[in-house]
């Protein structure tokens, strides 16, 4: 993704073209956190490392510091992490004057070992597993979201009531209606391209005021870095134009939700090892084992794809959100869809994740499950056909956060892949989400269908 080298940054700093560098890490929720450096200090010392409070990997969505994490707490004093810039991610930030950005990894403050429950590190560990097998994971994610007419502050002041989308029509593939959002989406596309992110296109999605952004596939870490920066760009550029963007999976009960589909394949020295021209559906045996692993361990990985209470509101039949974990061929009612049948680009698309996923966690879970399928040489059942929403004999997607949390907690596969400390850390994060919701829900809401558990 490199769009800016350190030497180029020095040149731009000397000319006054860049005066600020954002040193950013990714928190548990997939948000950018970090510091704004004056470029002179970044070039003097910040390019090597900086520091932050270790509570950044132990908060809820509101940045509160709940108890129960083994990695850090009030009792442990909330010490420091080291933030180590990954200079391969250094890039300009076109929508901010004189600004560049670099993604950082969280390291232990004392020994400088990677922090195991850091989202970027969790994914790196699974990539290393694949590399040891002679495989390179390739991925792409889709970003769906809604653009609102009013600003974030205006929406907050209204109590989040009576929200109005920027476009008032279902604009799926519409050129006419998406033109009305071009003052936001054109700068988004151009900014991402200038950052070194190979944006392919934007389009209207299948609900009133909904947009989709697509970025070219790359290696798994690069795909997740691109996703994170793109999501950040959409929010900031929308705000600059007086609008708000939401990646909430289900912002209104009567509206289709937003997804973040994950396309995935494995490459070797000769290209896509998922492709076998002589096999049924051009699926190699490696691919069949991998997809079988995705199916077997879909419940284990559900929490990584749907981490919040709201995530589970999206899984409604007839809304293009999958309710079944089966695989099918080019069928958008399935949790897993075979794409590119008969071509060298054959891949599997996971349609379960919502737009609120942390891409590093969701993609790490997919890799862990798929690689387990290869290691266990799992058999892939025949593809499901037809409308999976109506099939009672097909395994359902877990439909509550509490169900997903317990399965995640008890997953032997993920404990082997991630380690006990990582599984326990994100189990606690899910418990905090449930506890926050339970405190907020009133008896009035419970009587009208809200769920406490």
């Amino acid at each position: 993704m490199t769009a800016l080298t350190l030497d180029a940054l020095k040149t731009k700093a000397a000319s006054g073209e860049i005066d600020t560098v954002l040193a950013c890490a990714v928190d548990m929720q997939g948000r950018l956190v970090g510091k704004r450096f004056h470029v002179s200090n970044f070039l003097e010392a910040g390019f090597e490392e900086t520091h932050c409070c270790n509570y950044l990997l132990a908060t809820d969505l509101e940045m509160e510091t709940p108890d129960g994490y083994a990695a850090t707490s009030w009792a442990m004093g909330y010490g420091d992490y080291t933030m180590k810039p990954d200079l391969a991610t250094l890039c300009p930030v076109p929508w901010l004057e004189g600004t560049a950005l670099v993604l950082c990894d969280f390291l232990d403050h004392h020994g400088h070992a990677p922090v195991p429950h850091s989202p970027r590190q969790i994914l790196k560990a699974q990539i290393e597993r694949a590399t040891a097998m002679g495989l390179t994971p390739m991925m792409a994610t889709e970003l769906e979201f809604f653009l609102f007419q009013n600003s974030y502050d205006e929406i907050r002041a209204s109590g989040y009531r009576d929200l109005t989308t920027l476009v008032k029509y279902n604009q799926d593939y519409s050129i006419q209606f998406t033109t009305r959002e071009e003052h936001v989406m054109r700068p988004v596309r151009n900014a991402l391209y200038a950052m070194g992110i190979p944006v392919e296109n934007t389009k209207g999605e299948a609900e009133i005021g909904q947009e989709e952004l697509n970025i070219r596939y790359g290696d798994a870490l690069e795909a997740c870095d691109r996703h994170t920066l793109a999501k950040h760009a959409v929010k900031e550029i929308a705000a600059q134009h007086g609008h708000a963007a939401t990646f909430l999976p289900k912002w209104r009960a009567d509206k289709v939700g937003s997804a973040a589909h994950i396309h995935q394949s494995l490459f070797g020295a000769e290209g896509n090892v998922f492709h076998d021209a002589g096999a049924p559906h051009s699926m190699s045996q490696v691919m069949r084992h991998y997809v079988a692993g995705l199916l077997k361990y879909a419940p284990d990985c559900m929490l990584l794809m749907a981490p919040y209470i709201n995530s589970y509101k999206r899984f409604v039949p007839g809304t293009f959100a999958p309710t079944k974990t089966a695989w099918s061929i080019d069928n958008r009612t399935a949790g897993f869809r075979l794409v590119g049948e008969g071509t060298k680009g054959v891949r599997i698309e996971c349609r379960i994740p919502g737009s609120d996923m942390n891409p590093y966690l969701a993609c790490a879970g997919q890799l862990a499950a798929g690689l387990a399928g290869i290691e266990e040489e799992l058999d892939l059942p025949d593809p499901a056909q037809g409308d999976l929403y109506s099939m009672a004999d097909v395994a359902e997607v877990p439909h509550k956060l509490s169900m997903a949390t317990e399965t995640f907690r008890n997953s032997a596969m993920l404990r082997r892949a991630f380690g006990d400390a990582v599984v326990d850390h994100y189990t606690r994060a899910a418990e905090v989400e449930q506890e926050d919701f339970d405190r907020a829900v009133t008896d009035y809401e419970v009587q009208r269908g809200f769920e406490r558990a």
Side-chain angles (χ1 to χ4, degrees):
M1 190 180 73
T2 303
L4 191 62
T5 65
L6 198 60
D7 285 341
L9 178 63
K10 292 176 182 177
T11 301
K12 292 179 182 294
S15 69
E17 186 177 345
I18 290 180
D19 55 58
T20 300
V21 178
L22 310 183
C24 304
V26 180
D27 70 4
M28 290 196 298
Q29 292 79 19
R31 302 171 297 192
L32 295 183
V33 293
K35 302 176 180 179
R36 281 177 154 82
F37 275 83
H38 191 280
V39 68
S40 63
N41 188 266
F42 181 82
L43 290 171
E44 180 181 344
F47 76 95
E48 292 185 324
E49 65 177 46
T50 186
H51 301 85
C52 66
C53 178
N54 62 20
Y55 95 128
L56 290 176
L57 291 178
T59 71
D60 64 10
L61 279 165
E62 298 294 330
M63 298 298 289
E64 296 294 335
T65 50
D67 295 330
Y69 287 106
T72 188
S73 65
W74 290 113
M76 296 170 66
Y78 284 113
D80 271 358
Y81 283 147
T82 296
M83 290 172 57
K84 177 70 173 177
D86 179 351
L87 295 178
T89 67
L90 186 63
C91 59
V93 184
W95 64 91
L96 297 177
E97 185 178 358
T99 302
L101 178 151
V102 66
L103 293 176
C104 302
D105 289 307
F106 286 113
L107 306 179
D108 174 75
H109 180 52
H110 303 288
H112 281 63
V115 174
H117 55 279
S118 164
R120 216 165 179 259
Q121 179 57 33
I122 293 171
L123 177 59
K124 283 185 175 183
Q126 297 313 300
I127 294 172
E128 290 171 4
R129 277 184 67 198
T131 300
M133 300 166 69
L135 302 168
T136 300
M138 305 297 284
M139 292 186 166
T141 60
E142 303 174 23
L143 293 88
E144 296 178 0
F145 54 93
F146 287 85
L147 288 173
F148 293 115
Q149 183 170 302
N150 292 338
S151 70
Y152 288 105
D153 288 341
E154 290 169 339
I155 289 172
R156 182 181 181 88
S158 74
Y160 303 97
R161 305 290 182 183
D162 302 321
L163 277 68
T164 303
T165 54
L166 185 56
V167 171
K168 311 303 189 294
Y169 304 90
N170 181 325
Q171 55 182 353
D172 198 16
Y173 291 97
S174 172
I175 298 300
Q176 177 188 354
F177 293 135
T178 51
T179 297
R180 302 177 190 186
E181 296 174 329
E182 269 293 87
H183 62 292
V184 175
M185 298 312 303
R186 180 170 178 256
V188 166
R189 292 191 303 271
N190 289 335
L192 295 178
Y193 182 81
M195 294 176 82
I197 297 174
V199 61
E200 291 184 339
N201 56 66
T202 58
K203 60 175 284 292
E205 249 300 326
E207 185 51 89
I208 294 172
Q210 190 177 31
E211 268 282 356
E212 179 179 304
L213 169 64
N214 294 297
I215 297 169
R216 189 180 309 156
Y217 75 91
D219 69 71
L221 183 63
E222 194 169 47
C224 292
D225 289 344
R226 293 168 176 174
H227 180 110
T228 301
L229 294 176
K231 190 172 181 179
H232 187 79
V234 167
K235 291 179 178 180
E236 290 207 335
I237 293 172
Q240 288 178 339
H241 289 82
H243 304 299
T246 185
F247 290 81
L248 198 67
K250 194 74 168 177
W251 79 271
R252 247 180 74 163
D254 61 344
K255 302 295 183 185
V256 170
S258 291
H261 305 147
I262 300 173
H263 294 252
Q264 48 199 304
S265 58
L266 297 172
F267 275 48
E270 303 300 320
N272 185 6
V273 302
F274 276 10
H275 178 252
D276 181 345
H281 314 301
S282 65
M283 295 173 69
S284 69
Q285 190 60 54
V286 170
M287 183 178 190
R288 296 184 68 84
H289 289 325
Y290 186 95
V291 176
L294 298 183
L295 293 176
K296 177 180 177 179
Y297 294 114
D300 301 51
C301 299
M302 189 69 186
L303 181 64
L304 304 173
M305 299 184 283
Y308 307 109
I309 293 287
N310 181 267
S311 307
Y312 296 83
K313 307 300 180 184
R314 174 175 151 261
F315 300 111
V316 177
T319 64
F320 291 99
T323 59
K324 304 294 173 66
T325 58
W327 78 284
S328 192
I329 300 170
D330 197 18
N331 183 335
R332 286 180 168 85
T333 71
F336 296 91
R337 180 173 74 116
L338 182 71
V339 183
E341 178 189 17
T343 74
K344 292 183 179 180
V346 65
R347 60 196 182 276
I348 195 72
E349 175 195 35
C350 178
R351 298 180 57 79
I352 298 173
S355 53
D356 58 345
M357 74 167 187
N358 181 325
Y360 303 92
L361 301 181
C363 290
Q366 291 293 282
L367 274 177
L371 295 178
I374 294 173
E375 291 168 345
E376 298 171 29
E377 298 184 344
L378 296 178
D379 292 328
L380 183 66
D382 292 336
Q385 298 181 14
D387 180 4
L388 273 72
Y389 290 126
S390 63
M391 297 181 183
D393 59 341
V394 179
E396 289 192 349
V397 171
H399 60 275
K400 286 185 181 181
L401 177 64
S402 56
M403 295 170 58
T405 303
E406 281 307 300
T407 306
F408 179 81
R409 185 202 311 273
N410 296 317
S411 173
M413 182 276 291
L414 287 176
R415 288 187 178 275
R416 288 192 301 271
F418 290 178
D420 289 339
V422 172
V423 172
D424 291 343
H425 191 87
Y426 284 92
T427 297
R428 180 59 191 146
E431 292 172 344
V432 169
E433 164 70 6
Q434 186 71 59
E435 291 164 7
D436 286 349
F437 178 78
D438 289 345
R439 281 193 297 270
V441 172
T442 67
D443 289 339
Y444 177 87
E445 290 166 327
V446 169
Q447 293 167 7
R448 284 154 180 80
F450 282 74
E451 299 171 346
R452 283 196 182 276

